[in-house]
């Protein structure tokens, strides 16, 4: 699914003061958590075994770093660039992206 489409759905929900959440497999994908936080999504649904991993990640990330990453991701031209940005963010995580 396109990150731009997800962002558009989030913006539309926020504009109408409606809650929006991510459900299913994508909600528990660790590499997607910074993107979702950067969009302002506060609810993620996932299989129970993913909860501790994702919870720890959420607690450690800076929202401002996630927002900067999200802006880069939605401007990406292709999935290869998206993967590269997500990998770089994860690699830098300890030094720059955690609070």
């Amino acid at each position: 699914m396109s990150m731009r489409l997800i962002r558009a759905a989030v913006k539309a929900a926020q504009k109408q003061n409606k809650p929006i959440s991510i459900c299913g497999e994508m909600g528990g994908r660790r590499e997607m958590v910074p993107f979702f936080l950067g969009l302002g999504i506060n609810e993620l649904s996932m299989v129970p075994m993913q909860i501790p991993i994702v919870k720890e990640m959420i607690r450690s990330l800076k929202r401002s770093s996630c927002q900067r990453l999200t802006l880069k991701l939605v401007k990406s031209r292709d999935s290869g660039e998206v993967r590269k940005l997500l990998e770089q963010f994860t690699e830098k995580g300890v030094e720059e992206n955690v609070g």
Side-chain angles (χ1 to χ4, degrees):
M1 177 174 265
S2 167
M3 293 186 158
R4 288 185 204 109
L5 290 174
I6 295 170
R7 184 177 78 165
V10 170
K11 285 187 172 211
Q14 290 169 339
K15 186 176 180 179
Q16 297 295 316
N17 293 318
K18 301 287 184 185
I20 189 164
S21 61
I22 302 294
C23 300
E25 188 177 329
M26 190 178 281
R29 288 183 57 194
R30 194 172 171 267
E31 68 274 11
M32 295 299 294
V33 170
F35 172 67
F36 297 140
L37 291 179
L39 288 174
I41 294 174
N42 295 316
E43 293 184 34
L44 301 172
S45 176
M46 65 202 71
V47 295
M49 67 183 180
Q50 288 297 109
I51 293 172
I53 297 163
V54 171
K55 193 174 187 177
E56 181 180 342
M57 185 176 197
I58 289 171
R59 287 181 174 164
S60 69
L61 291 170
K62 290 181 189 174
R63 189 171 291 268
S64 60
S65 293
C66 294
Q67 290 168 334
R68 285 191 298 276
L69 172 68
T70 296
L71 288 175
K72 291 178 186 177
L73 290 171
V74 296
K75 292 178 183 178
S76 297
R77 291 175 293 240
D78 57 50
S79 61
E81 188 175 348
V82 167
R83 275 192 292 277
K84 182 179 175 183
L85 287 167
L86 289 170
E87 287 172 12
Q88 289 173 346
F89 185 87
T90 303
E91 288 172 8
K92 291 179 183 177
V94 175
E95 304 102 38
E96 296 178 16
N97 303 320
V98 296

